[in-house]
């Protein structure tokens, strides 16, 4: 009997441990993530998962990363066609996941923490109903600032997209192109969809006037803002700003008035050769402990019950709260723009090409045209001021005013051409407007002495007096 109890205990041990973690079959000793998310953000999450597997399964595992840009990795997943080199696709463009689901390239799996993730965020689905993918974090492309440099230049921190168009920011903005940055492409679409294509493209052309440097990639944007070479960087995710802040740089992050918090999904790749550890990862990654590790990687957790204030020992959590002015993404005042992702996907390449062909590759023509427009506007203002002063001096300004109206019409046409990307026509039209404005001043004519009202009055008085005298003389003769 003494030997029976220990033996029975040994027999029950596997059942006991089985209740601690879900059963997925034999766990493989390696997990390969396919992700555009930075290694600095993935590392703490991956390390925590390795510790979890060691603690719960007694197994040493490796977590490897296949890195790359979002478009590159998306193309790889498609090219693998169900025979992937990796196990789990994490991050990238939000629309990729419904597309990969339709293509049959994601394996359905319902995580043990499935119910801890809301079904949607402000109307945007956070998970596939059949488990092909689920969102585990968020990011929002916004405006990164160097607060020390802004103070030195006596410039306010921009709060809205339209603030960035102010001429006081000319030369103070750094950005890349949408073809080189998923974040900038997202912001490009937000402006196009929220304002309409015509006004949207007008916005980006006018913003380009204030750009001091076109960066080769997003990393250069955040790096140069961090180092104080530029005070404002466009379309940078808050992750970069959080990392800079943690490193001791006095940077800020602005969620603009029209924004989109992008859910960052995750899904098991169809045909993954390590399916069991992939499923274990999917169970763990939405747990509260795992989501806290996301804060260490400067990622915004997707769970609604994660509050920044609950993690005072994680520096990134306090910074996120400062930037967001909220305890998590669900409490932020900024509302997601209702993005049309079918349109977004349909014209993805076309808008990138149009941006390059009419803005970034034409930047010299663009800036020349805008300078000509500004010069013409200044000449019109100066001419109007001179004409108004001369009118007070008694000048005849009728022709001058008519000519100024014509100059304004020419300027309006030049501006319309600029907004449409017709920079040559805009430059020519603005030059004509300036020339006509300058010429208008010469059309303000000072009347001859005999044309002036007081002179006419004197002549009339003199005539009346003369007539009266003649009348008196005639009367005397009689």
């Amino acid at each position: 009997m003494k030997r029976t109890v220990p033996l029975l205990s040994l027999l029950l041990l596997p059942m006991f441990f089985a209740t601690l973690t879900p059963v997925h079959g034999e766990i493989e000793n390696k997990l390969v993530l396919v992700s555009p998310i930075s290694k600095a953000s993935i590392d703490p999450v991956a390390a925590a998962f390795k510790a979890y597997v060691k603690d719960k399964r007694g197994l040493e595992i490796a977590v490897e990363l296949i890195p790359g840009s979002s478009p590159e990795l998306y193309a790889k997943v498609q090219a693998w066609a169900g025979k992937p080199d990796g196990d789990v696709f994490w991050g990238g463009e939000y629309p990729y996941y419904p597309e990969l689901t339709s293509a049959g390239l994601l394996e359905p799996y319902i995580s043990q923490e499935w119910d801890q993730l809301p079904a949607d965020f402000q109307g945007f689905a956070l998970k596939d109903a059949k488990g092909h993918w689920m969102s585990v974090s968020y990011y929002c492309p916004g405006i990164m600032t160097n607060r020390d440099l802004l103070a030195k230049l006596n410039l306010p921190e921009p709060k809205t997209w339209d603030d960035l168009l102010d001429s006081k920011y000319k030369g103070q903005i750094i950005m890349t192109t949408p073809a080189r940055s998923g974040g900038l492409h997202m912001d490009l679409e937000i402006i196009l969809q929220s304002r309409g294509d015509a006004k949207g493209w007008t916005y980006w052309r006018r913003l380009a006037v204030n750009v001091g440097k076109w960066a080769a990639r997003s990393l250069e944007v955040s790096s140069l803002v961090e180092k104080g070479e530029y005070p404002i960087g466009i379309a940078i995710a808050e992750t970069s700003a959080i990392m800079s802040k943690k490193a001791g740089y006095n940077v800020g992050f602005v969620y603009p008035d029209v924004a989109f918090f992008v859910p960052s999904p995750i899904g098991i790749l169809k045909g993954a050769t390590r399916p069991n550890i992939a499923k274990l990862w999917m169970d763990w990654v939405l747990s509260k402990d795992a989501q806290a590790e996301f804060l260490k990687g400067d990622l915004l957790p997707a769970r609604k019950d994660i509050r920044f204030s609950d993690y005072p020992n994680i520096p990134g959590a306090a910074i996120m709260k400062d930037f967001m002015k909220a305890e998590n993404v669900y409490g932020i005042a900024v509302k997601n723009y209702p993005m049309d992702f079918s349109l977004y996907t349909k014209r993805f390449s076309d808008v990138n090409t149009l941006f390059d062909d009419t803005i970034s590759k034409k930047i010299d023509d663009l800036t020349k045209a805008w300078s000509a427009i500004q010069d013409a506007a200044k000449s019109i203002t100066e001419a109007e001021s001179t004409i108004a002063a001369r009118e007070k001096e008694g000048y005849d300004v009728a022709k001058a005013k008519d000519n100024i109206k014509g100059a304004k019409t020419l300027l309006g046409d030049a501006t319309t051409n600029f907004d449409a990307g017709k920079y040559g026509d805009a430059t020519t039209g603005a030059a004509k407007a300036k020339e006509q404005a300058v010429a208008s001043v010469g059309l303000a004519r000072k009347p001859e002495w005999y044309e002036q009202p007081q002179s006419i009055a004197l002549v009339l008085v003199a005539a009346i007096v003369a007539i009266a005298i003649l009348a008196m003389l005639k009367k005397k003769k009689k």
Side-chain angles (χ1 to χ4, degrees), residues 135-149:
S135 301
V136 292
S137 62
Y138 293 93
Y139 74 92
C140 179
I143 304 168
M144 181 175 172
T145 64
N146 186 298
R147 290 170 173 170
D148 289 338
L149 186 53

Side-chain angles (χ1 to χ4, degrees), residues 409-436:
T409 298
L410 288 171
L411 179 60
D413 292 342
T415 303
T416 298
N417 282 326
F418 175 89
D419 292 341
K422 300 175 181 177
Y423 306 126
D425 292 343
T427 301
T428 301
K432 290 180 179 179
K434 179 179 179 179
E435 182 181 353
Q436 186 161 325

Side-chain angles (χ1 to χ4, degrees), residues 142-463:
I143 304 168
M144 181 175 172
T145 64
N146 186 298
R147 290 170 173 170
D148 289 338
L149 186 53
L150 284 174
K152 182 179 178 180
L153 296 172
N154 197 29
L155 291 173
E157 188 173 66
K159 300 298 183 186
T160 69
W161 287 112
D162 283 340
D163 285 349
L164 296 171
L165 299 182
D166 197 306
S167 59
K168 63 174 170 276
Y169 294 118
K170 188 172 184 179
Q172 305 301 332
I173 296 172
I174 180 172
M175 62 184 282
T176 185
T177 66
R180 296 173 177 174
S181 165
L184 186 57
H185 183 91
M186 179 67 70
D187 282 341
L188 170 62
E189 270 291 351
I190 286 172
I191 296 297
L192 292 179
Q193 292 193 25
S194 63
R195 302 186 181 208
D197 283 358
K199 291 182 179 179
W201 284 113
T202 291
Y203 176 85
W204 288 108
R205 292 185 177 110
R206 295 193 181 192
L207 177 62
V209 173
N210 284 348
V211 174
K213 181 178 175 64
W214 293 89
R217 50 186 180 155
S218 295
L219 183 61
E220 185 182 7
V221 176
S222 57
S223 177
L224 294 184
V225 172
E226 172 187 274
K227 294 173 181 175
E229 294 190 31
Y230 290 89
I232 301 167
I234 303 298
I236 299 300
E238 59 277 280
T239 301
S240 296
I242 295 165
M243 288 180 177
S244 295
K245 190 81 170 177
K246 284 166 61 177
Y249 296 98
N250 187 18
V251 301
F253 188 83
V254 177
Y255 293 98
D257 50 327
V258 183
F260 187 78
F261 284 83
V262 187
S264 187
I266 197 166
I268 300 174
L269 292 171
K270 187 74 171 181
T273 56
R274 293 165 288 269
N276 295 324
I277 197 166
K279 292 174 182 177
L280 184 61
W281 164 268
M282 296 292 281
D283 285 336
W284 175 82
V285 77
L286 261 186
S287 68
K288 198 166 185 179
D289 288 343
Q291 291 276 287
E293 297 297 330
F294 276 53
L295 293 174
K296 294 179 182 178
D298 306 321
L299 299 171
L300 298 177
R303 279 183 69 126
K304 207 169 185 177
D305 57 355
I306 299 290
R307 300 173 71 257
F308 300 140
S309 296
D310 292 339
Y311 301 91
N313 296 324
I314 300 178
I319 297 170
M320 289 179 198
K321 183 178 180 180
D322 174 50
F323 287 167
M324 298 185 75
K325 306 295 186 291
E327 284 290 354
N328 55 38
V329 68
Y330 299 97
I332 195 167
V334 176
K335 299 301 180 185
N336 259 13
Y337 180 76
M339 184 77 73
D340 180 348
F341 274 105
S342 61
L343 177 61
Y344 175 103
T345 303
K346 180 181 178 181
R347 64 181 187 182
F348 188 93
S349 297
D350 291 340
V351 295
N352 285 349
T353 300
L354 186 58
F355 189 99
D356 285 340
D357 289 347
T358 67
I359 297 179
S360 59
K361 291 179 180 178
K362 294 280 188 179
I363 195 63
D364 290 339
D365 293 339
L366 182 152
T367 53
K368 179 181 177 181
W370 191 255
S371 293
I373 288 170
Q374 295 300 100
D375 286 347
K378 181 179 178 182
S379 294
I380 288 173
T381 299
E382 291 174 348
E384 285 185 312
S385 178
T386 301
I387 290 168
R390 291 188 177 180
E391 185 175 25
K392 290 180 179 179
E393 295 172 7
Y395 280 60
D396 179 359
V397 296
K399 290 184 178 180
K401 285 184 174 181
D402 285 343
N403 216 48
I404 282 290
K405 287 181 181 178
K408 287 182 175 180
T409 298
L410 288 171
L411 179 60
D413 292 342
T415 303
T416 298
N417 282 326
F418 175 89
D419 292 341
K422 300 175 181 177
Y423 306 126
D425 292 343
T427 301
T428 301
K432 290 180 179 179
K434 179 179 179 179
E435 182 181 353
Q436 186 161 325
V438 172
S440 297
V441 175
L443 297 176
R445 188 176 66 87
K446 191 169 186 177
E448 298 295 335
W449 69 269
Y450 51 80
E451 295 178 306
Q452 298 181 17
Q454 60 268 32
S455 298
I456 294 172
L458 287 172
V459 170
L460 288 173
V461 170

